[in-house]
Amino acid sequence: MRFLSLPIVLLLLAGCAPQPGIGDKERQEWGLQPIITGFAPDRGEGGKYKLRERVFFSFTLSRPGYVTLVTMDSDTTTAVLERNVQLPAGQHTFPLATDRNAQGQATYLVVPPLGPSRFRLLYTSTPATNRELFRGKLSNEEFNRHTRAYLSEAPVRDVAETWMEAVQ
């Protein structure tokens, strides 16, 4: 019985992880092109972070454009962390080293609620104009709808998603 319990526990734990909202169906429907690669927090996808710890997100763009970083916490609250940041092709890390606050480089700190948080990196070839999206609590379907609306005006667009977990 011991051998059967491990797969059952792994299946239960897999059910707790956030379900990615960007599949092949969405990629085709939204007209996404492969621009973003390697999008992940500094401890890797699903990395665990204690409250008040810093987190950085790395990614690579195959062409220059504008990126927006959006998060959805475990309680479904969404927020925009970065909007319409113009970047050249190449490897990048958010927050950017050039982002400054009174203490030096800007940082993203892990804050409540505990649990998994999803992060979407949205690429557009032109700056997005709709600032009314990604506010408040959204279902997965609403999150996808907001993403699609955000991307709709850009002739070239892509989305990458990752997640991390806030722990005690």
Side-chain angles (χ1 to χ4, degrees), residues 49-89:
Y49 294 80
K50 292 182 180 181
L51 295 179
R52 308 288 304 154
E53 279 191 303
R54 295 166 46 166
V55 60
F56 295 90
F57 293 91
S58 297
F59 58 95
T60 301
L61 300 177
S62 63
R63 61 185 287 175
Y66 298 83
V67 293
T68 294
L69 179 60
V70 181
T71 182
M72 178 187 276
D73 290 333
S74 59
D75 69 354
T76 73
T77 299
T78 59
V80 176
L81 300 177
E82 302 283 349
R83 185 184 303 274
N84 279 334
V85 177
Q86 187 176 13
L87 294 173

Side-chain angles (χ1 to χ4, degrees), residues 1-166:
M1 267 327 255
R2 177 194 271 161
F3 296 106
L4 290 178
S5 63
L6 180 60
I8 290 170
V9 168
L10 291 176
L11 282 174
L12 290 173
L13 289 175
C16 296
Q19 300 303 311
I22 309 300
D24 290 337
K25 177 184 168 198
E26 287 83 11
R27 292 194 68 78
Q28 185 175 24
E29 285 177 4
W30 299 352
L32 303 181
Q33 297 181 19
I35 307 294
I36 305 167
T37 57
F39 177 51
D42 53 330
R43 292 186 185 160
E45 187 165 79
K48 295 184 184 321
Y49 294 80
K50 292 182 180 181
L51 295 179
R52 308 288 304 154
E53 279 191 303
R54 295 166 46 166
V55 60
F56 295 90
F57 293 91
S58 297
F59 58 95
T60 301
L61 300 177
S62 63
R63 61 185 287 175
Y66 298 83
V67 293
T68 294
L69 179 60
V70 181
T71 182
M72 178 187 276
D73 290 333
S74 59
D75 69 354
T76 73
T77 299
T78 59
V80 176
L81 300 177
E82 302 283 349
R83 185 184 303 274
N84 279 334
V85 177
Q86 187 176 13
L87 294 173
Q91 190 170 11
H92 303 281
T93 300
F94 272 151
L96 298 173
T98 55
D99 292 344
R100 302 280 179 208
N101 62 19
Q103 292 77 36
Q105 181 182 351
T107 60
Y108 302 143
L109 292 179
V110 177
V111 296
L114 296 176
S117 292
R118 295 166 59 183
F119 294 84
R120 277 194 182 166
L121 188 64
L122 312 174
Y123 168 91
T124 54
S125 55
T126 57
T129 58
N130 194 333
R131 295 189 169 271
E132 300 305 314
L133 298 173
F134 305 113
R135 293 185 181 177
K137 294 184 181 232
L138 300 176
S139 68
N140 188 59
E141 293 77 25
E142 291 169 321
F143 197 39
N144 286 344
R145 215 171 16 257
H146 282 234
T147 300
R148 189 173 189 164
Y150 187 87
L151 301 170
S152 66
E153 296 174 5
V156 180
R157 52 193 170 258
D158 194 15
V159 177
E161 187 168 301
T162 192
W163 69 283
M164 48 129 320
E165 186 170 2

